Amino acid sequence: MKISKTIYLFFIPGLILYSIFFLYPTFSAVFYSFTNWDGISANFNFVGFENYTKAVTGDSVFVKSVGNNLEFMLFVVIFQTIIALIFAIFLVKNTKVNYMLRALFFFPTILSSVSVAFIWTFVYDPSLGILNQILSLIGLDFLALNWLGNGDIAIYALAFTQVWFHAGQMLIIFVAGLHAIPFDLYEAAKIEGATKWQTFKKITWPLLAPSATIVIAYTTIQSFQAFDLVFAMTGGGPNNTTEILSTYIYEVAFRGYDFGYASAISVIFMCVIALITYLQFKVLRSNRVSY
Amino acid sequence: MFFRRFAIFIYAVLILIPLIMVMLTSMKTREETFQNPLGLPEAGINFDNFISIFYEQTMAGYFVNSATVTLFSVTLTLFFASMIAYGITRLNNWKGNSLFGLFSLGMMVPPQVNMVPLYSLVLNLGLTNSLLGLILVNIASTLPVAVFILTGFMKTLPKELFEASTVDGADNWKMYAKVTLPLSLPSLSATAIFLFVMHWNDLLYPLLFITDNAYKTLPLALLDFQGQYSTNYPMLFTGVLIASAPMVIMYIFLQRYFVAGMTSGAVK
């Protein structure tokens, strides 16, 4: 069937905005990454791969922020996925109470990251914070730490906040995935006398693989985007121990006025995300089964 | 069974305690927070901090800015994205698929990666300290997700529908506006909610482009309060409550749509 040529008009408004405010900046990041532009003056020089070699060999803060970012990502992906999966299984039945609990666990997702950052800065406050208050109340004073001020644990305190923020959203995706598994598979397993663990291993987990792929891929991207939380809670400190790639880009560009170098880090950042996403899809795809 | 109940109880407490604490703290004075951080507010239920934050800050202005940016960003993203999704669905050939691929690219690149070149672009266009600038950047950044969700939905609509309408002499615009859009309402509403939450809560773009108080949105204003009030948690939490109120109210009434919307956004 012939479609009128007017169909192409439908793309125009979106395509124009998308080209100006997304495609153009994305490609110009690659361009600027080969320059020494300061972001203000009209002149700049091409410096070849200098920015890239500087990042990889001469900048300990950059290396640190890649490490922090991966650490943060691993913590969030592992804990958030496990917590979301366990509670999705607990709350899978569509009862009234389960509806309410799911709605409650989902709730933090609708808050702004600045609000979540303030809430948890207060929870972690060394003297006023509810966490240390409770710890000393139950006699665990030695555990009452300066959560965000101690460079060894701050990144985990932030990662925990991220899990609190988004686990409910992943829980809902898992619940939807669980509801898509045909019920008669469980009946058959029951008749054949399978244990709970066997049922989980042979039916639930393999058939949940598509949802797990989504949850893990989305969590990974989200944990790379944790800019707002880190920016508002620690600003990358103390001593860059919570600096992640995005906060470091902001630091280099808007406090150090080194736009060329910040662009190079952006390009590396983009490649890291693309690589991780690709690997995850490959690994998780190979685990798929159907009955 | 016991373990299950216990685990659910712990999780629920973990969600509720910080939220209750925000509400209680917003009714306290600063001194009270230092002396008695966990207890109930001495003055009982009161809104003193609400009144003073409206005196001290241009809260109404921030609120209007946030609402303006969110409403325009959501509506225009939905409008442009649904047109593109309709185009891709109708073309249904390599051209449509490559356009779909081009827009999907936008989902792979997080906005934080683009912040440096985007900032210089917006600066050069003279769109810093402008709500219009925020709206345009917002649309471009959420267009990919919206196109992705809406195309997925429109492709499930029966093809005969388009063919029958063409025979009846409907042109593309009529078929889009009178046939496709009404049938796509479930997915449009889910996408709308997803976009609402994203744009209302966005911090990054205002942080990059807005320095003038007259154009600040709530999340950015909130971040500034941290500098002004430092450890004055009652004031900070009053700000948190005001900034979250519209989303919370919407969540209470449209809970089902929220869950559908926020997860359709995740499935990308």
Side-chain angles (χ1 to χ4, degrees), chain A residues 23-52:
Chain A
L23 293 176
Y24 170 73
T26 307
F27 289 105
S28 66
V30 180
F31 173 81
Y32 288 131
S33 74
F34 294 105
T35 72
N36 63 358
W37 191 37
D38 62 5
I40 306 161
S41 56
N43 316 325
F44 51 81
N45 297 317
F46 285 93
V47 294
F49 282 91
E50 200 181 278
N51 287 327
Y52 290 94

Side-chain angles (χ1 to χ4, degrees), chain A:
Chain A
M1 191 186 59
K2 201 106 175 80
I3 304 162
S4 157
K5 288 268 181 273
T6 53
I7 192 79
Y8 293 106
L9 296 174
F10 282 73
F11 293 96
I12 289 175
L15 205 52
I16 290 175
L17 280 177
Y18 185 62
S19 308
I20 298 176
F21 292 102
F22 176 77
L23 293 176
Y24 170 73
T26 307
F27 289 105
S28 66
V30 180
F31 173 81
Y32 288 131
S33 74
F34 294 105
T35 72
N36 63 358
W37 191 37
D38 62 5
I40 306 161
S41 56
N43 316 325
F44 51 81
N45 297 317
F46 285 93
V47 294
F49 282 91
E50 200 181 278
N51 287 327
Y52 290 94
T53 38
K54 180 181 164 193
V56 182
T57 58
D59 184 355
S60 60
V61 182
F62 170 73
V63 177
K64 213 169 176 180
S65 49
V66 175
N68 290 338
N69 216 143
L70 291 175
E71 215 172 328
F72 182 86
M73 183 203 89
L74 277 177
F75 183 99
V76 174
V77 169
I78 293 170
F79 284 98
Q80 185 160 294
T81 311
I82 293 175
I83 289 171
L85 180 60
I86 291 175
F87 284 93
I89 293 172
F90 286 171
L91 302 176
V92 66
K93 276 199 197 123
N94 281 337
T95 61
K96 214 165 194 176
V97 177
N98 285 356
Y99 266 125
M100 276 166 56
L101 285 166
R102 282 186 228 151
L104 175 69
F105 295 160
F106 185 84
F107 180 80
T109 308
I110 67 158
L111 298 174
S112 76
S113 33
V114 186
S115 303
V116 173
F118 286 1
I119 295 172
W120 281 87
T121 308
F122 187 60
V123 170
Y124 287 138
D125 192 295
S127 52
L128 306 177
I130 197 163
L131 181 56
N132 285 355
Q133 298 269 342
I134 289 177
L135 284 173
S136 56
L137 217 70
I138 54 176
L140 294 170
D141 290 83
F142 65 97
L143 274 177
L145 303 165
N146 184 358
W147 301 96
L148 294 173
N150 179 338
D152 295 329
I153 47 175
I155 190 85
Y156 300 107
L158 289 171
F160 185 84
T161 308
Q162 173 80 359
V163 174
W164 184 86
F165 194 4
H166 286 297
Q169 193 181 3
M170 304 307 148
L171 186 158
I172 299 289
I173 300 176
F174 273 133
V175 169
L178 287 169
H179 284 159
I181 299 175
F183 191 66
D184 43 347
L185 286 176
Y186 288 110
E187 301 237 291
K190 212 173 190 178
I191 291 166
E192 298 200 3
T195 63
K196 266 190 173 168
W197 175 243
Q198 281 171 327
T199 317
F200 176 78
K201 221 174 86 181
K202 295 280 178 192
I203 300 173
T204 313
W205 179 244
L207 286 174
L208 212 54
S211 320
T213 313
I214 293 162
V215 166
I216 292 174
Y218 195 58
T219 308
T220 307
I221 302 249
Q222 258 182 356
S223 61
F224 271 104
Q225 297 181 331
F227 175 85
D228 305 7
L229 271 194
V230 178
F231 191 78
M233 287 176 80
T234 64
N239 280 322
N240 304 106
T241 44
T242 59
E243 201 80 74
I244 59 172
L245 279 166
S246 47
T247 54
Y248 189 49
I249 293 173
Y250 185 88
E251 194 75 28
V252 170
F254 299 105
R255 302 227 167 96
Y257 295 102
D258 195 345
F259 272 48
Y261 186 45
S263 301
I265 301 172
S266 297
V267 174
I268 299 175
F269 186 6
M270 220 176 328
C271 296
V272 172
I273 292 189
L275 183 74
I276 290 178
T277 319
Y278 172 76
L279 288 177
Q280 277 177 350
F281 269 91
K282 238 186 131 176
V283 173
L284 291 161
R285 276 267 154 88
S286 64
N287 285 334
R288 275 192 191 188
V289 292
S290 55
Y291 288 114

Side-chain angles (χ1 to χ4, degrees), chain B residues 44-259:
Chain B
I45 295 176
N46 69 85
F47 300 98
D48 298 351
N49 290 322
F50 279 87
I51 296 163
S52 38
I53 209 167
F54 272 95
Y55 264 115
E56 288 171 27
Q57 307 285 343
T58 47
M59 279 316 267
Y62 301 139
F63 207 94
V64 170
N65 290 342
S66 266
T68 313
V69 170
T70 305
L71 280 176
F72 278 99
S73 304
V74 172
T75 321
L76 292 172
T77 306
L78 272 186
F79 181 40
F80 296 156
S82 59
M83 273 165 65
I84 293 166
Y86 172 79
I88 294 171
T89 312
R90 287 311 314 278
L91 280 173
N92 199 24
N93 56 14
W94 67 269
K95 284 182 208 156
N97 291 339
S98 359
L99 281 162
F100 183 69
L102 183 72
F103 283 107
S104 302
L105 202 70
M107 293 194 302
M108 314 282 175
V109 183
Q112 287 84 355
V113 172
N114 267 337
M115 66 179 152
V116 175
L118 197 58
Y119 171 77
S120 16
L121 175 74
V122 171
L123 187 70
N124 286 334
L125 293 174
L127 288 171
T128 50
N129 282 325
S130 120
L131 297 184
L132 176 69
L134 278 182
I135 293 167
L136 294 176
V137 173
N138 273 345
I139 298 171
S141 85
T142 47
L143 203 59
V145 191
V147 167
F148 187 84
I149 304 172
L150 293 172
T151 309
F153 184 86
M154 286 185 195
K155 287 215 162 167
T156 64
L157 295 174
K159 283 220 168 46
E160 296 76 27
L161 193 87
F162 297 121
E163 281 157 25
S165 326
T166 317
V167 173
D168 287 342
D171 58 23
N172 270 323
W173 179 256
K174 263 192 200 140
M175 221 173 332
Y176 159 78
K178 298 253 162 79
V179 181
T180 315
L181 279 192
L183 286 172
S184 305
L185 267 182
S187 119
L188 282 170
S189 60
T191 317
I193 288 199
F194 177 68
L195 295 175
F196 246 100
V197 177
M198 286 210 29
H199 292 313
W200 183 265
N201 291 334
D202 180 48
L203 170 70
L204 185 69
Y205 293 142
L207 179 70
L208 292 180
F209 308 138
I210 309 289
T211 48
D212 186 340
N213 269 335
Y215 302 105
K216 279 181 181 163
T217 59
L218 281 165
L220 181 61
L222 216 51
L223 194 68
D224 286 351
F225 293 175
Q226 201 181 23
Q228 294 166 41
Y229 296 124
S230 93
T231 54
N232 189 347
Y233 286 108
M235 282 307 241
L236 290 179
F237 287 162
T238 305
V240 165
L241 286 177
I242 295 169
S244 317
M247 285 298 130
V248 175
I249 291 166
M250 269 174 72
Y251 184 64
I252 291 169
F253 289 104
L254 305 168
Q255 204 191 92
R256 197 167 295 226
Y257 299 94
F258 259 79
V259 170

